[in-house]
Amino acid sequence: MNKRVVIVSPVVCAPAYSGNSARIAQFIKALESMSVEVHFILAPIKEISDRRQGDAMKSLFGERYHCMKQGNQLRGTILNRGWKYLKRKGLRRYAIFQDFMLPWQLYNSDELNEFKALIEDIKPDFIIGEYVLTAPLIRSLNNTIPTAVETHDCFTDRNKKIRKTNGGGLWWTLTASQERKLLSAFRSVIAIQETEKFFFERLLKGREVSICKVDVLDVPREICDLNNKAPVIGFVGSDNAHNREGLEIFIHKQWPRIKNNIPSAQLLVAGDVKFDSTESGILALGRVERLFDDFYNKCALIINPCVTGSGLKIKTVEAMSYGMPVVATQEGVSGIESSVGQGVYCEELNEKSFSDTCINLLTDEKLRISQGNLSRIYIEKAYQESLNTIQTLIQ
């Protein structure tokens, strides 16, 4: 294709220890599979942890990696800094102030000029912003380069929805009018699941913005061997409130039932998610470099017990790409509901059916293998559809 694409992001893509970093890494691999030359501009802001570690990004991109403000966190305007100061002084205790943000003040004039200079130097054919908070950077260009935003999530009233369900994981949030204006800075909007695509279509009705869906971007890889497996359940996750909450409920509600039925059962927990448990048979692996060899291929099934959250469920998609059967909550299949019955089970985390399904997959080899095969087939088909969408987008 011989295109040059800039990714501008507040988050690095290497190492891919979190869902958003993994998503960006997958998107870049998809672009590179089309012979696209990818440049990466890191625009670190306080609202989103950039997750940098050493020289990982420089090693991956070489001279095509550009870090704004020499790697320092962008300061934004005086108004933005003043508002953050007031929140630190106590306003954040109140939900109405905790949720209020000034997205168009995240970058000051020097930072916008630095971004414009980078774009003029790189001369890309296409620009992709990671997260809608990159909109002020895109708007500053005021030129004809086509652009798209990888939304990662829907942020309209995000915290209100979490509070309504008594969930954890409060983060930054937007009003509908803010998200509409930010999205309108781009020519195209990339939703990562069908439900959010429908929301953006309603939100942007009448605006000259195209909307598409790119959900599965996990490249099909090694396939786990599900024959003669030890009764091992796997969970992988970064240390965020959604993962901690779901894992702790599973351990408290479901794990004792599984151990009573299968005393030799084990639960492997990969990633830096933190949890407290004195239950037997649970092993915390921490961050795993060789996911296939040291985690997935040791498991008979994967769980996604998250009960709150939003966006595409990367851990569900990743497990399916390895040909693993998955037992998940409704939240764990959000955005990929069509995978239920295709290697994925959707069960209520507080109901006995969750542990019963796990037990059935651990003890019935034929069922486990057939469901793993369905997972792999689903991912391969969805992955090809995503590639076709991306190719059409950047042509």
Side-chain angles (χ1 to χ4, degrees):
M1 186 175 284
N2 298 321
K3 292 267 189 179
R4 181 177 295 168
V5 172
V6 161
I7 303 286
V8 56
S9 172
V11 181
V12 298
C13 65
Y17 287 142
S18 60
N20 52 7
S21 292
R23 167 76 181 188
I24 298 168
Q26 292 162 12
F27 205 104
I28 289 171
K29 282 185 180 180
L31 290 170
E32 291 175 340
S33 74
M34 303 170 195
S35 300
V36 170
E37 179 184 297
V38 179
H39 290 248
F40 195 104
I41 298 176
L42 180 66
I45 57 176
K46 184 177 178 61
E47 284 69 20
I48 306 177
S49 174
D50 58 67
R51 300 183 182 275
R52 274 176 287 177
Q53 286 197 13
D55 296 325
M57 290 293 289
K58 189 70 174 178
S59 299
L60 184 63
F61 287 96
E63 296 303 312
R64 293 178 290 111
Y65 174 59
H66 316 271
C67 192
M68 293 180 62
K69 288 298 174 187
Q70 298 179 320
N72 296 314
Q73 198 171 81
L74 305 187
R75 301 187 69 203
T77 66
I78 293 176
L79 184 59
N80 186 56
R81 298 198 299 273
W83 176 244
K84 288 178 180 177
Y85 173 79
L86 291 174
K87 288 173 75 172
R88 289 196 303 272
K89 285 298 181 179
L91 286 183
R92 68 174 62 198
R93 292 197 301 265
Y94 307 97
I96 188 172
F97 296 123
Q98 183 184 38
D99 292 352
F100 184 76
M101 70 179 303
L102 301 165
W104 292 100
Q105 307 297 321
L106 291 175
Y107 313 90
N108 60 39
S109 58
D110 288 343
E111 292 158 355
L112 294 175
N113 287 334
E114 181 183 357
F115 177 71
K116 286 191 283 187
L118 284 170
I119 295 301
E120 288 171 6
D121 183 55
I122 297 168
K123 295 179 174 57
D125 301 298
F126 201 94
I127 303 172
I128 297 174
E130 300 291 342
Y131 287 101
V132 73
L133 295 186
T134 57
L137 296 172
I138 299 301
R139 181 65 62 82
S140 73
L141 297 175
N142 195 28
N143 60 27
T144 58
I145 302 173
T147 60
V149 57
E150 258 247 284
T151 53
H152 288 265
D153 210 337
C154 164
F155 288 96
T156 294
D157 295 332
R158 184 182 185 277
N159 285 352
K160 285 183 182 179
K161 295 170 186 173
I162 291 174
R163 291 189 189 98
K164 193 173 181 180
T165 59
N166 296 315
L170 296 177
W171 202 19
W172 55 276
T173 186
L174 299 168
T175 65
S177 61
Q178 283 178 323
E179 189 156 31
R180 183 184 300 109
K181 186 175 180 181
L182 292 164
L183 290 169
S184 298
F186 300 87
R187 185 176 297 185
S188 301
V189 170
I190 304 170
I192 65 173
Q193 52 140 294
E194 193 64 42
T195 305
E196 291 179 9
K197 178 175 179 285
F198 179 66
F199 174 82
F200 292 139
E201 286 172 342
R202 288 182 298 161
L203 186 68
L204 295 168
K205 188 175 182 180
R207 303 288 178 111
E208 293 184 0
V209 180
S210 66
I211 303 164
C212 62
K213 180 192 72 171
V214 175
D215 50 8
V216 175
L217 276 172
D218 223 7
V219 181
R221 57 193 79 181
E222 307 101 317
I223 302 177
C224 293
D225 181 5
L226 296 175
N227 290 286
N228 302 313
K229 299 295 287 193
V232 178
I233 296 173
F235 174 84
V236 58
S238 58
D239 189 35
N240 64 52
H242 306 300
N243 287 331
R244 292 193 298 270
E245 178 185 30
L247 180 58
E248 288 175 2
I249 294 173
F250 172 81
I251 291 172
H252 177 67
K253 294 277 189 179
Q254 305 296 343
W255 187 240
R257 294 174 183 166
I258 294 170
K259 287 291 286 183
N260 285 338
N261 281 270
I262 309 173
S264 60
Q266 280 191 308
L267 174 63
L268 296 187
V269 180
D272 56 9
V273 59
K274 295 179 177 61
F275 62 97
D276 294 319
S277 176
T278 56
E279 297 284 346
S280 64
I282 302 176
L283 179 62
L285 301 177
R287 290 180 174 176
V288 178
E289 296 295 335
R290 302 186 309 164
L291 270 175
F292 177 75
D293 293 323
D294 297 334
F295 176 65
Y296 281 111
N297 209 31
K298 292 183 176 181
C299 299
L301 67 97
I302 300 297
I303 57 167
N304 184 348
C306 293
V307 292
T308 59
S310 50
L312 182 67
K313 309 311 165 188
I314 299 295
K315 60 173 60 65
T316 301
V317 171
E318 183 175 77
M320 294 177 72
S321 75
Y322 283 110
M324 295 292 294
V326 179
V327 184
T329 58
Q330 185 174 355
E331 185 60 44
V333 299
S334 176
I336 48 169
E337 289 86 356
S338 59
S339 67
V340 177
Q342 304 297 312
V344 175
Y345 295 81
C346 181
E347 306 291 351
E348 290 291 332
L349 188 56
N350 287 314
E351 298 295 330
K352 184 172 177 287
S353 60
F354 198 103
S355 54
D356 285 344
T357 302
C358 292
I359 292 165
N360 288 340
L361 287 166
L362 291 174
T363 57
D364 189 333
E365 182 175 286
K366 190 173 290 187
L367 175 66
R368 183 171 65 245
I369 292 172
S370 66
Q371 293 302 310
N373 288 338
L374 287 175
S375 283
R376 177 73 176 205
I377 292 167
Y378 179 95
I379 289 296
E380 288 176 346
K381 180 181 177 182
Y383 173 66
Q384 191 55 56
E385 290 173 354
S386 292
L387 289 184
N388 293 342
T389 300
I390 294 171
Q391 196 159 25
T392 301
L393 184 70
I394 66 174
Q395 278 180 345

